[in-house]
Amino acid sequence: MNGQWQRCDIVVADDDEGDRYLIQKAMEDIGVNGDVHFFEDGQLLVERLTRQLTAPSNESRLPCLILLDLNMPRMDGRETLKIIKNHPDLKEIPVVVLTNSKNQDDIDGTYRNGANSFFTKPLNYSGLVDLMKLLKTYWLETVSLPQRAV
Amino acid sequence: MSPERLPPDFRAIFESLPGNYLVLLPDLTMVAVSQARLRATMTTLEETIGRNLFDLFPDNPDDPAATGVANLKASLARVLATRQSDTMAVQKYDIRRPESEGGGFEERFWSPMNSPVLDANGEVAYIIHRVEDVTEFVRLKQKGIEQSRLTDELRAQVEQTEMEVYLRAQELQVANQRLRELDRLKTEFFANVSHELRTPLTLILAPVEALLASIGDASSTAAPRDILQTVHNNAIRLLQMINGLLDISKASAGKTEIRRETIQIVELTQSLVWDFRTMMHRKSITESLTINVPQPWVEMDRYLYERILFNLLSNAVKFTPAGGRISVDLDVSNGQLTLKVSDTGIGIASDDLPKVFEKFHQVEGSSTRRFEGTGLGLALVKEFARLLDGTVEVASDIGTGSTFTLRCIAPAAAESAAAESATASATTDSADLRLPEPIVAELATPVAEDTDRPRIVVAEDNVELAAFIADLLSPLCSVQLASDGADALRLTRRLRPDLVLSDVMMPRMDGIQLTREIKADAATSGIPVVLLTAMTNRDSLLKGWEAGADDYLFKPFHPKELEARVRSLLNAREWQKKGEAYRQQRDALEQFTHIASHDLREPLRKVVSFVEIFKSRNPDLDATSARYLDTVANGAARMYHLLDALIDYARIDRSQYSPKAVELRQIVDEVTRDLGDQIETAGAEIVVGELPEIAAHPAQLSMLFRNLIGNSLKYRSETRKPVIRVSARRSGTEWIVSVADNGIGFEPEHREKIFIMFERLHVQERFSGSGMGLAICRRIIEQHGGRMWAESEMDRGAIFSFSLPAMPVPTGATHA
């Protein structure tokens, strides 16, 4: 987690070990260009992102996509999202919420706070692989991203 | 010594009494009258004595509707027949005006009461006719707008209160029934959820265990075993969660019984900590156990103690990072048990400390971590500690760790410590006996602290009257007496009685101020207040209403009247409390459903995903293993759909969106479009008649039709082409909508049963489903203020119908 961030890295904040494993495996299966970095809660993610901002300019790259779980200890995804989207230098990073929740209040709330997409974690592994493919196609291969991410 | 006195002049005393009294012989000849009454009726002593009552007081000939004479005659006849007092309703009984004052009749209103005076043989010797002149009060009530707005409000309030009391008494029965129904539903629901979730879980656990055993150590690589182990761990997590949920719902439903038995507390504690050692050592957590128990044999509920320690330990293990430390401290002395479980874990923020023991405070979609960690397990600990008459507390610092402390009584079991346990219970007793100080009179029959009986606080500075009221009401409720308003307020705040009965004139704080204080505090404002006042004191009457008094009782009151009034107010109060309990129970049910369905999804997802990965990594599995894996996947999918249905069910009346005008036709069209594949597979025809526009929640109606049409498709006949007809007809102020099919139908006696959750009339294998579809439909319709029912005969198709209120006159603002 301390390595330098490359072009188009993806960061994932999820407290559940099993989910981190599944996401990593799905990313491996579909093959993504950048590295995937995992954080166990929102606080660790925010700390790393802000540290990234103060790094020497050639290393101050930001991830091109954040996958954010909502329910985590210490700092949950709702709080993390607010911090990122209210931070002048972090708010440009696309944040995709990937959670166990199906709750409309969560959906409404995260969009209101600036989330770029909301997904409920699929029941099965192949569903997760499909979702990762979709995210890769859209965020990594189709849209244009802010300068510091690429 | 004082000289012999003459007997008092009773006649003179009687005649000068301030009240309106008239004494009659059984033949209604008037024999005595008070001066006050002569003044009130504009008559003289001479024209009264020796005359028949109705000669002197005939009905007003100008008032054809006059009933005064007839009513009074009837009342007097009742007194003669029953030899008991008879209180009459307020009467219009006009009084003849003397010629000197212009003649004719004067409109008068009276509140009369007739009481018998019995002779030595028990026969009626006299009747005392006492009346209160309420003319002014009634006129005030009748005068309407220009006289005083206050009067109008007063009248409205009187009528409203009376109506409410009446209605509530009626509804009490209904509410009771609903509560019982809800209670039954809840118990049934938990039992059903348990069964429904455990069945597929067995289908997950058993094959995985079999696979794990068959792979054994001979397995080629370690990885597949790890994956399978993950599946197994998640299935076990599911089982623990379901058990925990059921435990806690049972506990909060009061279903857990306390069974204190003699146990060796030290050995039990050691063995439980021992059970966790493997797990701790795997995480390199060191543990320590400190025991300070001079006498290890105590009276304790083994199950509850075990569950408390188990949950505290699993919580500690979960939140303590590798290399940390967990210490358990057990101290039993003087019949008091203190159990401390400390960890060097991540700690809990002080803001969250009060919340860690709450089970259902979490919002929807709360994380598994919270659920297992500080959610359900700790809620269970708290619930079980409460059952042991104990407490559980937490102290924590972020980053340093947490300490959970259980305190409860654990009376020593051996004789040597019996004395100590006796002291312990003696202290408890004296605490219970700390009664409110301002009690001025003991009840005639002392009432034990009986929570089932309604409680009332009586504020009356007259000790005798207070004792009389207490006597009168103690068969109805438990009575607490207060000698003035301030005492009554203190008692009311402490006891939260079901009714406060208060005199108006009292030292320190009068009844009006007491009413104001009670009504101003949200905690007590729901308690009805009845003021005792003299009818003639109109000023205090109005002030009392303004202060928020719920009812009045006029002094002097008839015992029966007091009893009846109190009884009806207590009824109303009970209804009100039942309503609150009903709401709470309904909320708990919903929240349970929500938490359960959301939190169980997570481990379930893991089971499904890891089974899939395992399968893909082991393409050349033998047939048996492959079948096992399919069984696991099917069980998990079944559980997952059940959880989705539970979420839908819980969501129904949480919808925060207000209903809007909906074209039913549009909804049905959407649903048939969505179900296109299924309809095609079944070769079904959907015939939609004319449908109305209705005020409703579109998403809910959509769910309703999806369930109904899906249901008809599922239970189609194999020999007929399925035809499903959706139609509506107007019936009075509602629409009756029907979904009729020509499927396999069901026995007519099952037409109620099918709306009950998890009731399946058909064999599982053939018809899959959550077993909740129709229960959801009925709930949606009830939520919309309608009813739902079904008709069918075996193999003759089924008709599902529901009513929905018709929309009021169109506002013209409808749009597509």
Side-chain angles (χ1 to χ4, degrees):
Chain A
M1 256 181 245
N2 288 318
Q4 259 184 38
W5 283 2
Q6 310 294 314
R7 289 172 62 83
C8 242
D9 281 356
I10 297 172
V11 301
V12 181
D14 197 315
D15 63 319
D16 190 296
E17 198 187 337
D19 277 332
R20 289 200 301 269
Y21 174 82
L22 289 172
I23 291 170
Q24 183 163 27
K25 191 167 161 12
M27 299 266 197
E28 278 167 26
D29 280 7
I30 61 167
V32 289
N33 281 334
D35 289 340
V36 185
H37 307 272
F38 288 91
F39 296 88
E40 288 177 29
D41 61 48
Q43 195 165 327
L44 290 169
L45 170 66
V46 169
E47 275 166 19
R48 176 63 206 261
L49 287 174
T50 42
R51 209 163 62 233
Q52 197 68 16
L53 291 174
T54 57
S57 63
N58 61 326
E59 291 169 21
S60 67
R61 198 181 294 281
L62 293 176
C64 60
L65 186 63
I66 295 174
L67 294 189
L68 190 62
D69 184 18
L70 282 188
N71 297 303
M72 293 184 288
R74 290 220 290 175
M75 186 193 288
D76 71 5
R78 301 170 188 85
E79 185 64 29
T80 311
L81 178 68
K82 273 189 217 158
I83 290 176
I84 292 173
K85 290 299 179 185
N86 284 316
H87 194 294
D89 297 318
L90 297 177
K91 64 180 176 194
E92 64 198 60
I93 313 170
V95 177
V96 169
V97 173
L98 183 58
T99 174
N100 200 31
S101 171
K102 261 182 131 180
N103 177 11
Q104 193 62 43
D105 289 347
D106 276 339
I107 299 172
D108 296 350
T110 48
Y111 279 109
R112 225 178 352 255
N113 285 318
N116 299 74
S117 304
F118 185 105
F119 293 96
T120 302
K121 289 174 182 168
L123 169 63
N124 49 17
Y125 179 66
S126 50
L128 186 68
V129 171
D130 289 346
L131 177 60
M132 289 302 142
K133 264 188 213 152
L134 193 74
L135 291 179
K136 179 188 169 193
T137 312
Y138 184 79
W139 288 109
L140 308 186
E141 295 167 2
T142 311
V143 298
S144 303
L145 290 165
Q147 194 187 354
R148 277 212 286 184
V150 291
Chain B
M1 291 295 110
S2 55
E4 194 80 359
R5 281 211 221 144
L6 288 170
D9 183 351
F10 287 116
R11 173 167 288 270
I13 293 170
F14 171 77
E15 285 179 350
S16 55
L17 280 176
N20 299 337
Y21 293 97
L22 177 66
V23 181
L24 302 165
L25 292 178
D27 66 359
L28 308 186
T29 305
M30 299 180 280
V31 290
V33 63
S34 68
Q35 305 277 350
R37 180 180 158 94
L38 291 175
R39 277 195 300 278
T41 55
M42 298 180 286
T43 49
T44 61
L45 189 64
E46 291 71 35
E47 59 182 328
T48 303
I49 302 301
R51 263 177 94 179
N52 182 283
L53 172 66
F54 295 109
D55 283 352
L56 188 58
F57 300 103
D59 273 334
N60 181 354
D62 295 334
D63 180 0
T67 54
V69 167
N71 289 342
L72 182 53
K73 269 186 183 158
S75 170
L76 292 169
R78 277 196 297 275
V79 173
L80 287 169
T82 63
R83 289 173 209 142
Q84 298 206 340
S85 294
D86 191 79
T87 308
M88 298 174 66
V90 169
Q91 298 289 315
K92 177 172 181 296
Y93 201 139
D94 297 348
I95 292 298
R96 197 159 27 189
R97 201 179 289 126
E99 296 305 323
S100 58
E101 310 240 341
F105 277 74
E106 198 174 291
E107 190 191 51
R108 289 305 244 324
F109 292 88
W110 308 91
S111 171
M113 178 172 159
N114 301 305
S115 316
V117 177
L118 304 181
D119 63 17
N121 300 322
E123 298 298 327
V124 176
Y126 303 100
I127 298 172
I128 300 173
H129 171 70
R130 180 175 68 77
V131 290
E132 202 75 57
D133 184 348
V134 294
T135 308
E136 221 182 322
F137 178 70
V138 172
R139 276 201 196 132
L140 194 66
K141 275 178 82 174
Q142 286 176 340
K143 266 206 175 149
I145 311 153
E146 106 285 350
Q147 168 68 24
S148 115
R149 209 181 63 249
L150 204 55
T151 320
D152 253 10
E153 281 167 17
L154 173 67
R155 186 170 59 224
Q157 216 167 348
V158 172
E159 279 165 9
Q160 195 195 338
T161 312
E162 275 169 11
M163 187 54 95
E164 268 172 26
V165 166
Y166 173 72
L167 285 177
R168 283 178 184 182
Q170 300 251 304
E171 284 172 23
L172 184 60
Q173 244 178 325
V174 181
N176 266 329
Q177 209 177 335
R178 267 165 69 200
L179 201 61
R180 267 198 304 276
E181 175 66 14
L182 194 76
D183 211 30
R184 191 187 58 77
L185 185 82
K186 193 178 166 190
T187 317
E188 221 167 67
F189 177 82
F190 290 138
N192 283 332
V193 167
S194 146
H195 174 75
E196 291 288 323
L197 291 175
R198 273 169 213 253
T199 313
L201 200 53
T202 320
L203 295 180
I204 297 171
L205 269 171
V208 171
E209 273 160 15
L211 274 173
L212 269 172
S214 77
I215 289 175
D217 295 330
S219 171
S220 48
T221 57
R225 203 189 148 80
D226 275 359
I227 290 171
L228 222 46
Q229 192 64 54
T230 311
V231 173
H232 189 248
N233 291 347
N234 277 287
I236 293 284
R237 252 172 81 196
L238 269 176
L239 185 65
Q240 278 172 353
M241 280 185 190
I242 292 166
N243 285 342
L245 273 170
L246 290 164
D247 254 358
I248 203 152
S249 55
K250 260 196 272 170
S252 49
K255 293 246 157 65
T256 307
E257 284 173 14
I258 313 288
R259 275 191 314 271
R260 286 192 189 270
E261 53 186 309
T262 303
I263 59 167
Q264 222 284 20
I265 191 87
V266 174
E267 277 174 16
L268 180 62
T269 308
Q270 275 167 341
S271 77
L272 276 164
V273 174
W274 188 264
D275 287 346
F276 275 86
R277 278 185 76 182
T278 336
M279 212 185 297
M280 292 186 201
H281 289 174
R282 214 165 39 215
K283 280 182 88 176
S284 308
I285 294 171
T286 48
E287 95 277 4
S288 75
L289 177 59
T290 315
I291 303 238
N292 175 25
V293 181
Q295 212 292 80
W297 293 96
V298 296
E299 297 288 335
M300 175 60 76
D301 184 305
R302 171 189 291 271
Y303 174 77
L304 295 182
Y305 182 76
E306 272 182 18
R307 294 300 299 210
I308 290 172
L309 185 52
F310 175 89
N311 279 293
L312 288 179
L313 282 172
S314 35
N315 184 65
V317 171
K318 181 168 276 292
F319 289 103
T320 303
R325 179 183 175 80
I326 292 173
S327 15
V328 177
D329 259 284
L330 178 67
D331 182 295
V332 184
S333 45
N334 298 326
Q336 198 68 33
L337 178 147
T338 309
L339 175 74
K340 279 190 192 198
V341 176
S342 313
D343 61 54
T344 57
I346 57 174
I348 303 155
S350 55
D351 283 355
D352 290 335
L353 276 182
K355 293 188 211 152
V356 298
F357 296 112
E358 289 174 29
K359 61 185 150 166
F360 291 142
H361 79 273
Q362 293 107 322
V363 286
E364 300 172 4
S366 67
S367 76
T368 307
R369 179 157 294 234
R370 235 191 274 161
F371 171 90
E372 286 176 306
T374 59
L376 199 74
L378 292 180
L380 207 57
V381 166
K382 187 187 177 189
E383 198 63 42
F384 288 167
R386 191 186 62 78
L387 288 171
L388 289 174
D389 286 327
T391 58
V392 59
E393 283 162 19
V394 58
S396 185
D397 280 315
I398 281 282
T400 314
S402 315
T403 300
F404 288 84
T405 309
L406 165 78
R407 289 193 180 85
C408 64
I409 54 160
E415 299 209 352
S416 62
E420 283 172 26
S421 90
T423 359
S425 59
T427 355
T428 330
D429 283 348
S430 65
D432 285 347
L433 284 171
R434 223 179 296 124
L435 290 169
E437 305 85 27
I439 289 182
V440 292
E442 277 295 323
L443 298 183
T445 42
V447 181
E449 200 52 29
D450 182 350
T451 45
D452 279 355
R453 279 164 63 85
R455 277 190 297 200
I456 104 166
V457 165
V458 176
E460 172 61 68
D461 58 333
N462 180 319
V463 179
E464 277 158 34
L465 184 56
F468 172 69
I469 292 174
D471 238 10
L472 207 59
L473 296 181
S474 54
L476 280 184
C477 47
S478 120
V479 183
Q480 298 282 0
L481 297 175
S483 56
D484 61 47
D487 286 344
L489 185 60
R490 211 167 37 235
L491 269 178
T492 302
R493 286 186 173 149
R494 175 152 29 166
L495 299 176
R496 302 279 159 81
D498 298 292
L499 183 69
V500 174
L501 186 64
S502 171
D503 191 13
V504 171
M505 304 288 282
M506 284 182 298
R508 290 219 285 167
M509 182 191 285
D510 68 10
I512 308 286
Q513 185 58 27
L514 171 67
T515 309
R516 249 181 234 131
E517 299 275 349
I518 290 175
K519 294 297 172 182
D521 183 352
T524 53
S525 62
I527 302 170
V529 178
V530 179
L531 289 178
L532 285 167
T533 181
M535 171 82 107
T536 42
N537 191 347
R538 208 170 65 236
D539 191 42
S540 74
L541 194 70
L542 295 179
K543 273 191 189 148
W545 283 123
E546 279 181 315
D550 295 83
D551 205 350
Y552 272 99
L553 209 57
F554 300 114
K555 280 193 207 170
F557 52 83
H558 190 275
K560 281 255 163 10
E561 193 187 354
L562 171 68
E563 212 185 297
R565 202 69 67 94
V566 167
R567 197 191 294 273
S568 103
L569 281 166
L570 286 178
N571 271 352
R573 175 71 176 156
E574 197 187 335
W575 182 87
Q576 190 188 352
K577 279 163 59 178
K578 285 265 157 67
E580 280 161 27
Y582 172 78
R583 269 191 302 282
Q584 276 172 9
Q585 211 160 11
R586 194 193 57 197
D587 289 352
L589 186 70
E590 265 159 40
Q591 281 169 325
F592 169 87
T593 314
H594 231 91
I595 298 288
S597 9
H598 273 104
D599 288 312
L600 294 174
R601 285 158 60 97
E602 187 153 336
L604 201 51
R605 239 183 42 239
K606 303 290 159 45
V607 169
V608 174
S609 299
F610 281 95
V611 163
E612 213 177 322
I613 290 176
F614 182 81
K615 246 178 123 175
S616 70
R617 288 223 185 145
N618 299 275
D620 38 352
L621 271 179
D622 60 287
T624 317
S625 300
R627 211 178 57 239
Y628 280 172
L629 285 176
D630 288 344
T631 314
V632 174
N634 288 340
R638 197 169 130 196
M639 226 168 136
Y640 197 77
H641 293 308
L642 172 65
L643 293 179
D644 266 358
L646 277 170
I647 293 178
D648 282 344
Y649 184 77
R651 197 177 276 164
I652 292 169
D653 56 9
R654 298 179 127 227
S655 174
Q656 67 266 59
Y657 307 104
S658 48
K660 53 182 178 190
V662 178
E663 282 290 349
L664 275 192
R665 173 81 206 208
Q666 212 176 320
I667 303 253
V668 174
D669 284 349
E670 274 169 28
V671 169
T672 44
R673 223 174 13 250
D674 288 353
L675 292 175
D677 286 351
Q678 274 172 264
I679 294 171
E680 206 173 312
T681 314
E685 186 189 349
I686 315 280
V687 184
V688 186
E690 259 195 52
L691 298 178
E693 188 184 39
I694 264 169
H697 301 275
Q700 291 191 5
L701 281 194
S702 189
M703 197 193 294
L704 170 87
F705 278 110
R706 196 181 309 269
N707 277 325
L708 288 180
I709 295 174
N711 197 62
S712 287
L713 288 172
K714 200 192 313 179
Y715 298 110
R716 64 181 180 262
S717 157
E718 279 166 3
T719 55
R720 289 186 290 269
K721 172 190 160 70
V723 180
I724 300 167
R725 291 171 199 279
V726 184
S727 59
R729 66 186 164 84
R730 178 77 182 233
S731 164
T733 57
E734 31 179 50
W735 285 98
I736 310 288
V737 184
S738 299
V739 176
D741 63 46
N742 59 350
I744 58 171
F746 53 83
E747 300 283 3
E749 67 259 32
H750 291 149
R751 61 178 185 272
E752 267 306 303
K753 213 176 162 191
I754 53 170
F755 289 107
I756 298 171
M757 239 183 269
F758 308 125
E759 281 291 345
R760 292 186 189 84
L761 304 178
H762 303 283
V763 188
Q764 188 95 42
E765 279 77 4
R766 193 164 152 219
F767 304 103
S768 61
S770 64
M772 291 191 63
L774 290 174
I776 289 175
C777 289
R778 181 174 262 188
R779 212 168 130 121
I780 289 174
I781 289 303
E782 282 172 356
Q783 210 51 37
H784 281 82
R787 306 173 315 280
M788 178 155 203
W789 64 97
E791 298 147 85
S792 179
E793 268 178 59
M794 210 57 198
D795 208 35
R796 291 273 179 88
I799 306 172
F800 291 89
S801 307
F802 54 86
S803 67
L804 282 174
M807 295 236 291
V809 187
T811 52
T814 47
H815 47 83

